[in-house]
Every structure is written in C-alpha cells, then in structure tokens.
Amino acid sequence: MSLTVQTEERADVVVVSVAGELDMATAPQLQDQITDLLEKGRIRLVFDLSELSFCDSTGLSVFVRARNSADEAGGVVRLAAPRRGVLRILEVSGLVEVLQTHATVDEAVAGGTATTG
C-alpha cells in the first residue's frame, strides 16, 4: 500500500491528512510535504491519522522531526484520530507523551487538552 498526503488550511492551522502506510519507503514523501509547509511559514500542523493504517519507527521519526522544527519556529504539532494500531505504537514508544495526541481533528485544531484514546 502507498501513502497519500493531503493538506487543508483551517485558519492558522494546516491539517495534514495522512492515509495508507507510513514506513521507510513512504516517509520521505511526508517529510518533503512537512519541509515545504515549514519553509512557507506554516508552523501550526495537525496530522489527521484517521486513515493511517500502519506506522513504523521511520514514520514516527518524521513526526518527531516535525515537532522539533515547529517548536523551534514557535509553532506546534498535534496528532489527531490515530487508529488503535497506530495509537498503540505511539504508546509503546512513549511518543504519546511527547506528541500531543487528540481523539479528533477538531479537538487538535482547537488545541484543547490532549487525550490518548
């Protein structure tokens, strides 16, 4: 399966919808999109993971790099609506504590309290 990445502007936040499998083969595609957004000054990012079926450590590192880059620029990265399998990977890796994770995209866009499920 491949990876599909789409973006949607919502006020000062860019929602990045990630669908398919995020792994060593597809991570560069997402990284390129993130780099492009950050270079354009889009530093408030919400990743909609509702259609992400798989994410390995390479994919996780993309989210960590995005968070670090956004933090340096005064922005924020939030994850939204991860499926059970992806949420489990975030929990086991400890990244659910590092990456703000929300149950829905709307909650992540609003910037409320992070939840893990």
Side-chain angles (χ1 to χ4, degrees), residues 13 44 46 78 102 105-112:
V13 175
R44 297 175 51 80
V46 168
R78 297 184 186 108
H102 298 263
V105 172
D106 289 340
E107 285 177 11
V109 169

Side-chain angles (χ1 to χ4, degrees), residues 23-65:
D23 56 23
M24 187 169 41
T26 60
Q29 176 186 344
L30 179 58
Q31 184 63 58
D32 289 347
Q33 287 270 35
I34 294 166
T35 299
D36 186 52
L37 288 168
L38 293 171
E39 286 176 353
K40 291 178 178 175
R42 306 303 290 163
I43 58 173
R44 297 175 51 80
L45 306 175
V46 168
F47 291 94
D48 177 358
L49 306 182
S50 61
E51 297 299 319
L52 185 65
S53 58
F54 176 79
C55 182
D56 70 5
S57 61
T58 311
L60 293 177
S61 68
V62 171
F63 295 127
V64 171
R65 281 195 302 275

Side-chain angles (χ1 to χ4, degrees), residues 54-56 60 84-95:
F54 176 79
C55 182
D56 70 5
L60 293 177
R84 174 171 281 146
V86 173
L87 179 59
R88 181 74 179 131
I89 292 166
L90 290 165
E91 290 171 342
V92 169
S93 67
L95 290 177

Side-chain angles (χ1 to χ4, degrees), residues 10 16 40-41 67 79 113:
R10 290 197 195 179
V16 181
K40 291 178 178 175
R67 176 190 170 268
L79 305 183
T113 304

